[in-house]
């Protein structure tokens, strides 16, 4: 069973059930899913492995009074984060001490509803940061390599809008250190298969910190495939079959630049899901263009699931050419019957911050607020 890149891929009970039934699980060991799935445990595992972590609590917090004292010692602003969380669920930013009690209650309630686990921990909230993730591959023979990094800083409400690889403007020394840290993180949990180690990169200090590890293939994995030429899903299947990795670290090279846009069925003005029937569906094509989608003319987008319609991925020899190719592909993409995020992404590609490779994790929301970034083609 290949569990894809949804929440089932990081559900240790599902993985264990498959293994118990004699079904080959195309994913990492259950122990790795469990250790990295609990964000508090993951922090301590990374600390022990020598991977830099964001200052914060040692494990989960349970006593509200002790939590307040700890928060004061860490310093504001800070984040309350769900231990079993992901996708921004169960996360609250706390700017001042008088906001702490309410934020703690809300974070726990949301975490309990979303994950069946209301455990939370604290982290220092760093500003002026980028979201950089490193792709890793491991096997059951103890080999682990990395395949470079992706920049996922273009986010709205902690949901990725667009990703690119390699990350623009990262010093090569930092790039190499993050790659090595990602390998150390994977080895610390005897990782096998494809996984992603996510870091926060502080642009002011040039420091990077472990954020979490996704024990699965990522939605944005095609941009890594484009710049490395490595079929990550094929490697997952090969590793699950007991084979050693077919690549050494010194055999991984990086060519050109790749960008992925997540095409969602959402109103670009409100970002609310827009269910309905697709009356027209024409995809772009040509050299360096890839579309991963399940859609077709007449497809009914239900209101019950994630709003992702497709992933549009482009590659070009340079970042400037990749941006131009993505704009052309977005303009060629014709989806009628439901609203999509395409107009918003076209506008994002034209902003000075994106063009300069200077996007931070809060840049999208700030540009929306000040009018620099229009949400749709009709916006003023």
């Amino acid at each position: 069973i290949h569990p894809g890149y949804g929440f089932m891929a990081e559900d240790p009970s599902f993985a264990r059930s498959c293994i118990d039934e004699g079904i080959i699980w195309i994913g990492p060991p259950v122990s790795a899913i469990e250790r990295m799935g609990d964000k508090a445990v993951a922090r301590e595992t990374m600390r022990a492995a020598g991977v830099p972590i964001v200052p914060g609590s040692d494990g989960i917090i349970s006593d509200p009074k002790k939590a307040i004292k700890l928060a004061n010692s860490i310093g504001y602003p800070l984040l309350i984060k769900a231990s079993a969380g992901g996708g921004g669920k169960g996360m609250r930013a706390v700017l001042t001490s008088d906001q702490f009690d309410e934020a703690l209650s809300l974070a726990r309630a949301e975490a309990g509803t979303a994950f069946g686990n209301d455990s939370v921990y604290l982290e220092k909230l760093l500003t002026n940061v980028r979201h950089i993730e490193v792709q890793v591959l491991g096997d059951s023979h103890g080999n682990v390599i990395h395949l470079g990094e992706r920049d996922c800083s273009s986010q709205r409400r902690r949901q990725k809008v667009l990703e690119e690889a390699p990350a623009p403007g990262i010093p090569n020394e930092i790039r190499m250190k993050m790659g090595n840290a990602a390998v150390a993180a994977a080895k610390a949990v005897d990782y096998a298969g494809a996984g992603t180690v996510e870091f926060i990169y502080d642009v002011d200090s040039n420091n990077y910190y472990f954020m979490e590890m996704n024990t699965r293939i990522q939605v944005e994995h095609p941009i890594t495939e484009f710049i490395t030429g490595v079929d990550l899903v094929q490697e997952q299947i090969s590793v699950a079959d007991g084979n050693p990795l077919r690549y050494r670290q010194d055999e991984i090279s990086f060519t050109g630049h790749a960008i992925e846009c997540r095409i969602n069925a959402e109103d670009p003005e409100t970002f609310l899901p827009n269910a309905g029937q697709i009356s027209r569906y024409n995809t772009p094509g040509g050299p360096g263009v890839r579309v991963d989608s399940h859609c077709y003319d007449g497809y009914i987008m239900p209101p019950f699931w994630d709003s992702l319609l497709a992933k549009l991925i482009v590659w070009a020899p340079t970042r400037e050419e990749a941006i131009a190719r993505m704009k052309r592909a977005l303009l060629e993409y014709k989806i009628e019957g439901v609203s999509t995020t395409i107009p918003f992404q076209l506008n994002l590609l034209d902003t000075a911050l994106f063009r300069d490779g200077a996007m931070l994790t809060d840049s999208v929301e700030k540009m929306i607020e000040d009018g620099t970034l229009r949400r749709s083609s009709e916006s003023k």
Side-chain angles (χ1 to χ4, degrees), residues 172-198:
N172 285 333
E173 180 184 3
I174 299 298
R175 203 185 301 273
M176 293 175 62
K177 286 183 177 179
M178 278 196 287
N180 292 335
V183 169
K187 287 185 175 181
V189 292
D190 298 321
Y191 200 83
T196 306
V197 182
E198 304 199 354

Side-chain angles (χ1 to χ4, degrees), residues 8 108 129 143 171 174 214 222 245 260 262 266 276 320-321:
M8 293 300 288
R108 279 182 164 164
V129 297
N143 303 305
I174 299 298
N214 290 297
L245 291 179
E260 174 178 299
R262 301 187 183 203
E266 294 176 358
E320 291 72 22
E321 291 172 290

Side-chain angles (χ1 to χ4, degrees), residues 263-279 301 307-309 335-344 376 378:
I263 311 301
N264 287 352
E266 294 176 358
D267 186 318
E269 283 291 330
T270 64
F271 297 103
L272 293 175
N274 191 250
Q277 186 171 29
I278 295 176
S279 57
M301 182 65 189
S307 61
L308 185 68
L309 292 173
I335 303 175
E336 297 177 1
V338 298
S339 298
T340 74
T341 50
I342 289 175
F344 176 76
S376 70
E378 294 77 26

Side-chain angles (χ1 to χ4, degrees), residues 342-364:
I342 289 175
F344 176 76
Q345 287 157 330
L346 278 167
N347 292 334
L348 175 60
L349 291 170
D350 276 338
T351 62
L353 272 180
F354 184 83
R355 290 275 180 172
D356 292 342
M359 294 291 292
L360 304 176
T361 55
D362 61 355
S363 292
V364 166

Side-chain angles (χ1 to χ4, degrees), residues 147-213:
L147 293 93
E149 82 289 341
R150 302 184 285 255
D151 191 328
C152 306
S153 302
S154 297
Q155 305 176 8
R156 179 187 169 275
R157 294 182 179 174
R158 303 186 182 91
Q159 299 296 314
K160 300 169 186 175
V161 176
L162 177 155
E163 301 98 348
E164 58 181 314
I170 299 290
N172 285 333
E173 180 184 3
I174 299 298
R175 203 185 301 273
M176 293 175 62
K177 286 183 177 179
M178 278 196 287
N180 292 335
V183 169
K187 287 185 175 181
V189 292
D190 298 321
Y191 200 83
T196 306
V197 182
E198 304 199 354
F199 295 98
I200 288 292
Y201 171 60
D202 187 338
V203 300
D204 294 328
S205 66
N206 266 347
N207 290 325
Y208 61 94
Y209 304 96
F210 171 84
M211 184 169 59
E212 63 182 3
M213 183 176 189

Side-chain angles (χ1 to χ4, degrees), residues 48-78:
V51 178
I53 61 173
V54 178
S57 60
D58 295 331
I60 62 173
I61 56 173
S62 54
D63 186 326
K65 292 183 179 179
K66 291 182 179 179
I68 293 175
K69 290 182 179 179
L70 178 59
N72 290 334
S73 67
I74 294 172
Y76 295 91
L78 56 79

